[in-house]
Amino acid sequence: MSPAINFELRRRTFIAGTAVAAVTVGMSRKAAAQTAAPVGAESTTVFLTVNGEGRELTVDNRTTLLDALREHLQLTGTKKGCDHGQCGACTCTVNGTRVNSCLSLAVMHDGDEVETIEGIGAPDAMDPMQTAFVENDGFQCGYCTPGQIQSARAVLDEIRAGIPSHVTDDLTAEITITDAEIRERMSGNICRCGAYANILAAITQVAEDQA
Amino acid sequence: MRQFSYEKASDPGAAAARAAEVQGAKFIAGGTNLLDLMKLEIETPVHLIDVNGLGLDTISETEDGGLRIGTLVTNTVLSADARIRRDYPVLTRAIAAGASGQLRNKATTGGNLLQRTRCPYFYDTAMPCNKRAPGTGCGALTEGAFSRQLGVIGTSEACIATHPSDMAVAMRVLDAVIETVTPTGMTRQIPLEEFHQLPGDTPDQETALLPGELITHVTLPAPVGGRQSYHKVRDRASYAFALVSVALIRQADGTGRIALGGVAPKPWRRTEADAELPNGARAVIARLLDGATPTEENAFKITLAERTLAAMLKEA
């Protein structure tokens, strides 16, 4: 795994800091009208197993799993796209199931096992899905790729587990891996470069190799 | 996002009592809709009660041959359950038509029923919205507003938002019943028909739940058989909310049940419209959407509902 990059002042951090200050000013009026207030600690200590390694973290309760991974554990392979569960760039697995890490709170994952793109392979020991994405040009800019790969691996598992999709013809028969099944199941991962055809080819290659 | 305190609940009754006691508290289960809304400060809970540890995550068989679904069963698990696929296929079809794989893995049964509308005026905090900020007006009913996605029936002058769930539409044709626990520890059964409220003058009041009341289960009556189907019409082939959706159960003799999604503030069903099924799509929709008050932009939904049903009836 590459070491985390720790610039003294990153441009995005600086802009984010400025935005927070602006929001705080705007909020003071609203906050005055709000009578209810938190009734306990506003931060919590959680224990996560991330890529097989135990990590203890104390986070503001508002911290999403995505921000915990990126900002607290410096695992920046998992990307923040829309931050609202619409793009899938933040997809990682929790206890083996793919989720949008942007729509989950770190405090809700105490004791959970999280796997990120860093945990599934490295440049010198790639996961078969990573290799297939490279071989099939399954990306251009690469920003959505960690989420695509995490989703792609889970999609094949979900088909093998018999979980039906919107395009599954017979709900009681074994599900066959078709282009339509893969496309439908990958619809929660958006690729702004439009590498969909090659992503489909990469996933199909892995599915055939594993068959 | 506003600051909030957080606790994990370990008992449903105690969780309900706590939610009623703490002003500004909310339950969190999957969180896929709540966190989205908290980031936008449309929802501003000051205390979150995490109900994921309550163990209400199994599906069991009831004495009268139905299924009792724990509120924490995820959409994926519910849609994939062999009993659901075999005996209630309309429910599997509806769930699989909604959201994305990642979201269905996280979203829960109770949470799906409680999700908020995706009306763009509810989401845009710079716009008036009687649901989000009671008394500010309805942005969707202002001159030149975009109302293509919004409701055509059951709406009011205060709100024309739709309920976005697919799952709930299937549960409505299956006559599902919601089980809850109240803050005083009583359990209660609410037919899904009575669960979602029409907006009237108070579009912020969306369900029959009392403050603090917690959904624990959703029960499906014994299977009713028939050919079951769910057809969702949307602007793209996957991962979009319905313009119109139709849940249909059709028996061999031509009778059946129908509910619509995407047209109303709740899954839309009328038993008198069910009775028209032997008479074809036009008769059904005329009865089902009688009294509709569409906008110029969404009047197409009435024709679309009729044609969708006609296509489904032809398939059988």
Side-chain angles (χ1 to χ4, degrees):
Chain A
M1 194 194 308
S2 313
I5 303 167
N6 277 312
F7 293 131
E8 278 187 12
L9 181 64
R10 290 176 301 161
R11 186 170 166 270
R12 271 181 295 176
T13 311
F14 175 70
I15 291 170
T18 315
V20 167
V23 168
T24 310
V25 173
M27 257 171 52
S28 57
R29 232 180 345 182
K30 278 194 215 159
Q34 190 185 11
T35 50
V39 292
E42 290 168 3
S43 65
T44 304
T45 300
V46 290
F47 185 86
L48 307 173
T49 302
V50 182
N51 300 328
E53 195 184 328
R55 308 292 292 261
E56 191 177 77
L57 281 179
T58 299
V59 291
D60 185 299
N61 292 340
R62 294 173 292 183
T63 310
T64 60
L65 178 60
L66 172 62
D67 286 340
L69 293 169
R70 290 181 54 85
E71 309 295 334
H72 293 257
L73 299 175
Q74 280 75 50
L75 291 169
T76 53
T78 306
K79 302 303 184 203
K80 182 182 283 193
C82 69
D83 210 24
H84 286 277
Q86 296 172 3
C87 76
C90 68
T91 304
C92 62
T93 64
V94 174
N95 302 329
T97 301
R98 62 173 168 150
V99 298
N100 298 113
S101 61
C102 75
L103 286 187
S104 202
L105 294 169
V107 296
M108 296 168 70
H109 291 288
D110 192 34
D112 283 349
E113 290 191 19
V114 180
E115 188 172 57
T116 69
I117 191 76
E118 289 91 343
I120 69 163
D124 54 351
M126 291 202 290
D127 178 83
M129 192 64 78
Q130 292 175 312
T131 305
F133 267 65
V134 171
E135 288 178 0
N136 290 279
D137 272 343
F139 52 87
Q140 288 180 41
C141 82
Y143 194 82
C144 72
T145 312
Q148 298 279 2
I149 289 174
Q150 291 285 50
S151 245
R153 294 169 86 243
V155 158
L156 296 181
D157 288 343
E158 288 168 11
I159 293 174
R160 283 190 285 258
I163 295 166
S165 84
H166 178 60
V167 300
T168 304
D169 206 29
D170 182 347
L171 293 183
T172 53
E174 192 177 335
I175 302 166
T176 44
I177 301 180
T178 61
D179 286 3
E181 282 284 0
I182 294 171
R183 286 179 185 278
E184 162 61 26
R185 290 166 191 268
M186 290 297 292
S187 72
N189 291 82
I190 311 296
C191 171
R192 185 64 179 78
C193 303
Y196 297 111
N198 296 353
I199 291 170
L200 176 63
I203 300 171
T204 304
Q205 178 179 314
V206 173
E208 285 172 355
D209 288 349
Q210 290 175 349
Chain B
M1 199 187 300
R2 305 281 183 91
Q3 289 277 7
F4 59 87
S5 43
Y6 170 86
E7 69 178 284
K8 287 182 198 295
S10 53
D11 172 78
R18 181 78 170 140
E21 172 198 43
V22 178
Q23 196 188 353
K26 263 196 172 297
F27 298 119
I28 187 163
T32 53
N33 186 220
L34 181 58
L35 280 170
D36 180 28
L37 295 170
M38 284 169 66
K39 289 180 183 193
L40 298 165
E41 298 197 355
I42 294 166
E43 294 275 14
T44 53
V46 296
H47 186 68
L48 285 185
I49 301 171
D50 182 344
V51 296
N52 286 292
L54 294 181
L56 301 166
D57 60 352
T58 57
I59 305 172
S60 57
E61 282 149 36
T62 62
E63 278 176 15
D64 65 355
L67 289 178
R68 188 166 183 243
I69 304 156
T71 188
L72 294 168
V73 172
T74 64
N75 287 179
T76 298
V77 168
L78 183 57
S79 74
D81 186 275
R83 294 161 294 187
I84 299 284
R85 280 188 284 159
R86 185 188 64 222
D87 297 332
Y88 307 93
V90 66
L91 183 54
T92 291
R93 292 293 184 199
I95 293 171
S100 67
Q102 292 98 311
L103 290 168
R104 291 191 298 270
N105 281 345
K106 198 82 169 47
T108 64
T109 305
N112 186 306
L113 295 172
L114 291 172
Q115 66 179 304
R116 311 293 303 275
T117 185
R118 298 318 196 281
C119 173
Y121 299 92
F122 174 73
Y123 261 76
D124 186 346
T125 52
M127 299 298 291
C129 172
N130 288 321
K131 189 184 278 297
R132 170 172 39 75
T136 56
C138 174
L141 287 174
T142 55
E143 184 74 25
F146 298 98
S147 58
R148 183 169 176 276
Q149 290 277 351
L150 304 177
V152 298
I153 195 158
T155 54
S156 72
E157 287 185 4
C159 181
I160 61 167
T162 56
H163 192 269
S165 173
D166 291 295
M167 183 195 83
V169 181
M171 285 184 169
R172 181 70 185 88
V173 284
L174 293 168
D175 283 334
V177 176
I178 293 158
E179 285 180 49
T180 69
V181 58
T182 69
T184 54
M186 306 287 286
T187 56
R188 184 156 92 107
Q189 300 209 331
I190 310 168
L192 183 54
E193 178 183 8
E194 294 163 22
F195 184 74
H196 294 108
Q197 310 290 295
L198 293 182
D201 297 332
T202 53
D204 55 316
Q205 302 291 318
E206 294 177 353
T207 72
L209 293 176
L210 305 167
E213 190 169 11
L214 175 70
I215 298 176
T216 57
H217 301 86
V218 175
T219 299
L220 301 178
V224 295
R227 276 185 67 96
Q228 302 191 6
S229 51
Y230 187 80
H231 199 101
K232 180 175 181 179
V233 185
R234 44 187 162 174
D235 282 335
R236 58 185 183 208
S238 183
Y239 197 17
F241 289 97
L243 291 166
V244 165
S245 68
V246 179
L248 178 68
I249 300 177
R250 201 178 183 212
Q251 303 296 346
D253 63 3
T255 62
R257 305 174 179 188
I258 176 176
L260 299 181
V263 296
K266 60 190 289 185
W268 197 251
R269 182 175 169 204
R270 283 173 175 167
T271 43
E272 63 268 30
D274 287 356
E276 294 288 347
L277 270 167
N279 302 324
R282 178 156 296 178
V284 173
I285 298 301
R287 193 59 67 90
L288 190 54
L289 295 182
D290 181 38
T293 52
T295 65
E296 205 170 304
E297 275 198 350
N298 69 16
F300 75 93
K301 287 192 174 191
I302 294 168
T303 318
L304 186 59
E306 184 186 315
R307 291 180 182 172
T308 305
L309 177 60
M312 292 168 81
L313 291 175
K314 217 169 185 181
E315 274 170 23

